[in-house]
Amino acid sequence: MPVRTSPAAFPKRSLVVSLRILLLVLHAGSPVYSQGDSQSGNKVMDNITVRQGETVFLRCELGDDVTHTAWVNHSSILYAGEDKWSVDPRVSLVTLNQEEFTIKIENVDMTDEEQYVCAVQTSRGLRTTSVHILVQVPPKIINFSKDIVVNEGSNVTLMCQASGKPEPSISWKFISNSGDLASDDELLEISSISRQKAGVYECTAVNDIDADVQTVDITVNYAPSVSEGRDAGVTLGQRGVLECEADAVPEADFEWYKDNRRIFNGFDGMEIINTGSLSKLTFYNVSDGDYGNYTCVAINKLGSSNTNFLLYVVIEPTSSTLLQVQDGSGGVKTAHFHTCLLFIAFLPFLLRF
């Protein structure tokens, strides 16, 4: 917007003296009051509320008998007429003519929140128009807990502090568990934390302007617990697998034993493969010596747990296997069976002959 200036060129000494007195009043913290009578003409405008980072325009009306004008705050003269006294590059002149005197402050910050006075020198003396700038600031989380690792049963305290104007409200949510509200305070306290409370917690700071969100992750360590072992039946010479699964944080290390003797990878043709929470003991060619009892042990720094397995033999008869069953009259009947299970299923039927 072009700047239009007035041609008035009266001595400025009287105005400067008046401005210095005005600055002393403002610096002392005394407000410039609006006078309700017509003798003064001083007035107070409504507060101007702006958001941090915006531009604010300060405008006051002039008149035909104005000789000098100035915009001041509590500590300095911003503009005296068209002469800029402020060293702040954000402050600039917008309009100066017989009707109005307007300046602007760009990129407003909290330091700009104060009283501003437009001083106008007339033939009848000094009159003022004052206005207070209120700066609203969006929330910003400034003090926040970092990700933590604790042992199950520990007490946990999370902190979330935020700045902003108006003062933001704080809320916590446990977002790993359907976003349940955990707290509406700066501090979130969890007593004797369990593994079910491990996960991501979200802090939200909100005011009328905006919101700020931060998350923190809680890792809960606990000792291993293993699933019950499932026995496996394997035919001689075939491949067999025993599987051991453990729930633990941190992840468990696995050890395998046969009759209290530890098994190492590659021992007697066995292979141990550990993948996360699962350990597999694989037999690629089961021999007579492989059958028996096995134990899987899951271990981490908080403890251990174990489970037992039985690897047992399964005999599969061939299609040429003959089964002879004597009936009640002394005669013999012969049958072909493909598996032992088939034989067991038909045994009651055959015994009736």
Side-chain angles (χ1 to χ4, degrees), residues 251-262:
E251 288 186 344
D253 295 322
F254 292 92
E255 296 177 358
W256 285 91
Y257 295 84
K258 183 178 188 296
D259 299 329
N260 297 322
R261 183 183 63 173
R262 185 172 178 183

Side-chain angles (χ1 to χ4, degrees), residues 70-109:
W71 271 106
V72 301
N73 59 16
H74 78 287
S75 60
S76 63
I77 301 172
L78 303 178
Y79 264 90
E82 62 182 354
D83 297 328
K84 182 177 180 179
W85 288 36
S86 172
V87 296
D88 191 335
R90 300 175 303 128
V91 180
S92 61
L93 178 63
V94 177
T95 303
L96 176 58
N97 54 35
Q98 290 185 342
E99 289 79 29
E100 68 173 279
F101 181 24
T102 303
I103 65 172
K104 68 178 180 180
I105 305 174
E106 299 178 282
N107 194 23
V108 172
D109 203 353

Side-chain angles (χ1 to χ4, degrees), residues 26-331:
L26 292 173
H27 190 68
S30 301
V32 178
Y33 292 103
S34 171
Q35 302 294 330
D37 55 59
S38 59
Q39 295 178 355
S40 170
N42 296 338
K43 65 178 181 178
V44 177
M45 298 171 60
D46 292 337
N47 294 337
I48 298 177
T49 301
V50 294
R51 295 186 180 185
Q52 186 181 43
E54 293 182 342
T55 297
V56 62
F57 291 85
L58 303 178
R59 179 182 180 276
C60 74
E61 297 178 356
L62 301 181
D64 294 336
D65 60 345
V66 173
T67 57
H68 297 93
T69 58
W71 271 106
V72 301
N73 59 16
H74 78 287
S75 60
S76 63
I77 301 172
L78 303 178
Y79 264 90
E82 62 182 354
D83 297 328
K84 182 177 180 179
W85 288 36
S86 172
V87 296
D88 191 335
R90 300 175 303 128
V91 180
S92 61
L93 178 63
V94 177
T95 303
L96 176 58
N97 54 35
Q98 290 185 342
E99 289 79 29
E100 68 173 279
F101 181 24
T102 303
I103 65 172
K104 68 178 180 180
I105 305 174
E106 299 178 282
N107 194 23
V108 172
D109 203 353
M110 279 298 298
T111 55
D112 299 314
E113 183 172 281
E114 58 176 297
Q115 187 180 26
Y116 293 80
V117 177
C118 175
V120 178
Q121 183 71 52
T122 70
S123 58
R124 296 187 298 274
L126 182 69
R127 61 180 172 84
T128 63
T129 299
S130 63
V131 62
H132 204 99
I133 293 180
L134 301 177
V135 180
Q136 293 183 326
V137 182
K140 183 174 180 59
I141 296 175
I142 56 176
N143 191 2
F144 190 65
S145 297
K146 297 181 180 179
D147 293 347
I148 57 172
V149 179
V150 297
N151 293 338
E152 192 169 36
S154 301
N155 296 327
V156 176
T157 300
L158 301 178
M159 175 177 288
C160 180
Q161 294 179 329
S163 62
K165 188 177 180 184
E167 183 178 355
S169 60
I170 304 294
S171 63
W172 283 96
K173 287 184 179 180
F174 183 26
I175 63 176
S176 293
N177 187 20
S178 303
D180 291 343
L181 181 64
S183 173
D184 56 0
D185 196 5
E186 290 182 348
L187 296 180
L188 173 61
E189 297 181 337
I190 307 172
S191 300
S192 189
I193 193 168
S194 65
R195 65 192 71 181
Q196 290 78 21
K197 292 294 184 180
V200 179
Y201 289 78
E202 177 186 87
C203 172
T204 301
V206 61
N207 66 10
D208 296 338
I209 311 305
D210 205 348
D212 191 19
V213 178
Q214 296 280 355
T215 59
V216 58
D217 186 71
I218 301 179
T219 300
V220 179
N221 292 332
Y222 51 91
S225 59
V226 295
S227 303
E228 184 177 355
R230 298 179 61 182
D231 298 341
V234 183
T235 303
L236 190 66
Q238 298 300 308
R239 180 178 179 273
V241 178
L242 299 178
E243 294 187 355
C244 179
E245 188 171 8
D247 179 26
V249 176
E251 288 186 344
D253 295 322
F254 292 92
E255 296 177 358
W256 285 91
Y257 295 84
K258 183 178 188 296
D259 299 329
N260 297 322
R261 183 183 63 173
R262 185 172 178 183
I263 302 169
F264 293 94
N265 199 28
F267 179 78
D268 285 349
M270 304 177 197
E271 182 181 39
I272 299 173
I273 300 177
N274 298 327
T275 307
S277 62
L278 183 65
S279 180
K280 293 183 178 181
L281 176 62
T282 302
F283 307 82
Y284 287 99
N285 186 9
V286 173
S287 63
D288 288 331
D290 293 328
Y291 296 114
N293 295 310
Y294 290 82
T295 301
C296 169
V297 182
I299 306 167
N300 70 7
K301 63 182 181 180
L302 297 181
S304 63
S305 180
N306 65 77
T307 187
N308 297 316
F309 301 82
L310 175 65
L311 184 70
Y312 59 89
V313 63
V314 172
I315 300 176
E316 292 187 359
T318 65
S319 59
S320 60
T321 302
L322 299 178
L323 178 66
Q324 293 182 334
V325 180
Q326 186 173 10
D327 59 17
S329 61

